[in-house]
Amino acid sequence: MLGLLVLAPILTGAITYLLRNRAAKLFLYIFQVLYAGLAFYVFMTVKQTGPIVWNIGGYTDGLALSLYADSISIFMVLMTAVFYIAFLVYATREQYFRPRFYFLFMVLQGLMMGLFLSSDLFNIFVFLEVSTVVVSILIMINKEKQAIYDGMIYFFVNVIGTAFLLFGIGMLYRTFGLLDIRAINEAMSLLDSPRAVVLPYGMMMVTVSLKTAVTPLFSWLPKAHGTPSAPPVVSAVLSGLYIKSGVYMFIRFNEMFNPVIDMHVFFFWIGFLTSLIGFIMALGQKDIKLILAYHTVSQVGLIMMGINMASEIAFWGAVYHIFNHAIFKSTLFLTAGMIYEEYGTRNVYQIRGLFKRMPWVAVATTFAILGITGAPFFNGSISKYMIAHGTYDYTVTLLLNIINLGTTMSFVKYATMLFGKSPKKGAVKSDFYALTACVVMGVASFFTGIFGEGLTQFFFNYEVHVNVDEYIQKGMVYVLMIVAGVAFYNGIIKHGGLITRIGHLELTFNGIITSMAGYFIVLVVYLSLIL
């Protein structure tokens, strides 16, 4: 059954490629709904009976190539399968219907499932390498010059980054003679000294940090996610889902090394710096796709902070924020595609009057903005509430408020598109399917906030009770942040200057590779000092 979750999307993509006709679309939609049903069935099975292990060939657990589903991995699988329905609906338009696109798009889904379910380190390496190729082609699929450049940067940076993982896996295999994550975790306690795994840990964390796009390894992400000619649905799946595979591997790899290595403090601060730099860079952008891309960096940093706060409620709040971010960021990328197609520009300062010209797109965008900024009753408010409750340290609370303020300021700027007089005249281009997908995803930002307590219980078997008085207090803080965001936009951002210049800073290919090497050295030195 677990093997089917990995292979079925890949086989479906191949069949769609061979059919090459309109019937292929219907086949894809039927498959994806049934596939989401299968994912839900496995999710409920895991929820009721506990983790499921499938050892290929019937070999001994720990030695076999294994697929492993527990509460987190099957949640990631279910989230991906359900959101893919919306992505396929959005891509219904005739311009998307190219057999090669659908083949690659479905193969990517299968590869993500493999990353979420695989318990074998070498399998994870293979899935990462193949997905790097697939993502690169999807970025370059329209064969536009800038897209080809961005796609090749993404490809070479990630191939080099994944090589660190391969070397780390080789060193672990030499030490333990094992490749299974769970088996290595059990064997860790038998080590005479934790220093024996410092180098493999450092190498594997370089790859995971690159895939997660934390500071200073995030420069590839805006190029990949913000590529001008890449289809909006590609940007949505990369930012909404694929980037989360790095976060998931971070959780799994740290669990594996947990008996001997604890890097919570280090990665908490890495998460904060990532979030801080992400929203500062976003403030300096005028391209709507780049604004969203840099905010993916920022929100991933927030997730990393929650995961590394050594608190159960903050950890599950971060995992729930993975889900919430997938909803509102996917919505924002999908609506951005429709906005660009209608207005013919991605310049946030040249787009006005969305509520008058494209009211339903404006509604979906508004709901997503309220979600990402943590407005009361929207999904971001619940996950951020949980993360904030993971500490009683006022310094940490201040850091979280700084991030929330930065996010709010940036999306005040983004929200200016909603109002004013539209420079466009004539009839609006209408796409019922894309509009439906956007509105459904946008509305989901509201309902996953209203029912946030129940959903955390359902997804993770973790009870969270929102204190009404505290929630009202946070709502008042949110209003103050909106006021501050409006003042900051009108007083500073609108006039450009230093922030705009900062926003245009980016690392070259050589700079990205150098930062990887430097990051590895810092990790190893830090570990050597604390062990």
Side-chain angles (χ1 to χ4, degrees):
M1 191 181 301
L2 297 183
L4 190 62
L5 287 172
V6 177
L7 291 175
I10 299 173
L11 294 175
T12 300
I15 293 171
T16 304
Y17 184 81
L18 294 174
L19 286 176
R20 292 176 173 268
N21 56 36
R22 292 177 180 271
K25 281 187 178 181
L26 181 61
F27 172 70
L28 269 181
Y29 301 147
I30 294 173
F31 163 79
Q32 195 60 44
V33 172
L34 294 176
Y35 183 73
L38 173 64
F40 182 77
Y41 171 76
V42 178
F43 172 84
M44 292 304 297
T45 302
V46 171
K47 184 178 173 68
Q48 294 168 5
T49 64
I52 299 174
V53 180
W54 180 52
N55 294 318
I56 299 173
Y59 291 97
T60 304
D61 188 29
L63 299 178
L65 294 176
S66 300
L67 297 179
Y68 176 75
D70 64 0
S71 59
I72 297 180
S73 60
I74 198 60
F75 163 72
M76 301 294 286
V77 166
L78 178 62
M79 177 181 71
T80 302
V82 171
F83 287 3
Y84 245 75
I85 297 175
F87 295 151
L88 288 173
V89 171
Y90 184 92
T92 298
R93 288 178 290 180
E94 194 64 33
Q95 70 183 74
Y96 275 99
F97 188 67
R98 287 171 286 179
R100 181 176 56 184
F101 168 79
Y102 279 116
F103 169 69
L104 293 169
F105 199 62
M106 296 304 290
V107 166
L108 181 59
Q109 180 180 198
L111 294 171
M112 284 192 288
M113 299 308 188
L115 288 171
F116 296 143
L117 294 173
S118 183
S119 185
D120 182 89
L121 287 173
F122 189 75
N123 259 10
I124 290 174
F125 166 76
V126 172
F127 283 126
L128 274 180
E129 286 284 73
V130 179
S131 64
T132 295
V133 175
V134 171
V135 169
S136 299
I137 298 173
L138 283 170
I139 292 170
M140 299 183 289
I141 199 163
N142 286 328
K143 301 179 182 178
E144 191 266 342
K145 183 178 179 180
Q146 184 63 43
I148 292 174
Y149 173 79
D150 292 340
M152 294 307 294
I153 289 288
Y154 173 86
F155 175 77
F156 285 113
V157 166
N158 280 272
V159 166
I160 294 171
T162 309
F164 279 88
L165 176 63
L166 182 61
F167 290 133
I169 291 171
M171 295 183 74
L172 280 182
Y173 185 72
R174 184 184 64 182
T175 302
F176 298 105
L178 298 166
L179 289 172
D180 187 86
I181 291 176
R182 294 167 295 120
I184 293 174
N185 173 258
E186 293 179 7
M188 281 285 175
S189 58
L190 303 177
L191 285 173
D192 294 329
S193 170
R195 290 181 178 272
V197 292
V198 166
L199 285 178
Y201 179 85
M203 289 179 177
M204 295 173 74
M205 283 300 110
V206 168
T207 302
V208 170
S209 297
L210 180 71
K211 287 294 182 181
T212 312
V214 299
T215 299
L217 308 180
F218 63 83
S219 291
W220 61 269
L221 187 145
K223 297 179 185 296
H225 295 201
T227 303
S229 66
V233 74
V234 171
S235 300
V237 76
L238 293 182
S239 192
L241 297 176
Y242 184 66
I243 190 70
K244 307 311 190 319
S245 63
V247 179
Y248 175 78
M249 286 188 294
F250 176 85
I251 294 172
R252 285 300 187 218
F253 289 176
N254 274 283
E255 283 180 352
M256 180 175 68
F257 284 98
N258 188 55
V260 294
I261 291 177
D262 184 354
M263 291 282 283
H264 281 102
V265 175
F266 179 87
F267 283 109
F268 172 84
W269 286 105
I270 287 290
F272 172 69
L273 289 174
T274 301
S275 194
L276 180 69
I277 293 173
F279 79 69
I280 290 174
M281 295 295 287
L283 286 170
Q285 306 303 316
K286 61 181 180 180
D287 185 313
I288 56 177
K289 287 188 74 172
L290 287 179
I291 293 173
L292 299 179
Y294 276 112
H295 265 290
T296 294
V297 174
S298 183
Q299 293 297 300
V300 165
L302 177 61
I303 291 169
M304 290 291 284
M305 290 177 69
I307 289 172
N308 290 285
M309 285 171 64
S311 163
E312 189 177 18
I313 187 171
F315 175 84
W316 290 115
V319 176
Y320 191 50
H321 202 66
I322 290 175
F323 173 70
N324 293 337
H325 180 264
I327 294 175
F328 50 64
K329 187 52 67 68
S330 296
T331 305
L332 288 167
F333 268 112
L334 295 179
T335 54
M338 298 185 72
I339 292 167
Y340 163 67
E341 186 175 321
E342 174 62 27
Y343 283 80
T345 179
R346 290 181 298 274
N347 190 326
V348 70
Y349 298 111
Q350 295 177 8
I351 301 171
R352 291 292 181 269
L354 271 180
F355 267 117
K356 293 180 180 178
R357 186 160 186 85
M358 306 175 75
W360 286 109
V361 170
V363 168
T365 301
T366 301
F367 275 46
I369 289 174
L370 292 172
I372 195 171
T373 54
F377 307 114
F378 286 80
N379 54 8
S381 67
I382 300 298
S383 48
K384 290 181 179 182
Y385 175 91
M386 294 173 68
I387 293 172
H389 272 67
T391 180
Y392 294 100
D393 188 329
Y394 289 109
T395 301
V396 175
T397 302
L398 176 62
L399 297 180
L400 293 173
N401 283 330
I402 289 173
I403 294 168
N404 289 339
L405 177 60
T407 303
T408 303
M409 289 190 300
S410 190
F411 278 94
V412 165
K413 169 184 173 179
Y414 195 86
T416 57
M417 298 188 300
L418 301 170
F419 310 102
K421 184 178 180 181
S422 173
K424 290 285 292 184
K425 304 296 181 183
V428 178
K429 298 174 184 176
S430 179
D431 185 339
F432 173 78
Y433 296 103
L435 192 60
T436 300
C438 291
V439 172
V440 170
M441 292 285 283
V443 171
S445 295
F446 175 71
F447 284 105
T448 51
I450 290 292
F451 300 108
E453 291 176 291
L455 287 173
T456 53
Q457 171 69 36
F458 177 72
F459 285 141
F460 317 122
N461 288 325
Y462 182 79
E463 288 189 30
V464 57
H465 299 289
V466 176
N467 184 288
V468 176
D469 292 336
E470 290 183 6
Y471 198 68
I472 293 173
Q473 183 181 2
K474 289 186 179 296
M476 295 171 65
V477 172
Y478 177 80
V479 172
L480 293 176
M481 286 186 177
I482 291 291
V483 173
V486 172
F488 191 78
Y489 170 76
N490 289 309
I492 300 177
I493 302 176
K494 193 174 181 180
H495 306 292
L498 178 61
I499 288 181
T500 301
R501 291 196 294 273
I502 292 174
H504 285 85
L505 296 175
E506 62 178 29
L507 293 178
T508 62
F509 175 77
N510 290 337
I512 296 172
I513 302 306
T514 302
S515 68
M516 270 193 273
Y519 187 79
F520 171 70
I521 293 171
V522 170
L523 269 173
V524 171
V525 170
Y526 181 85
L527 270 172
S528 300
L529 291 175
I530 66 173
L531 291 178

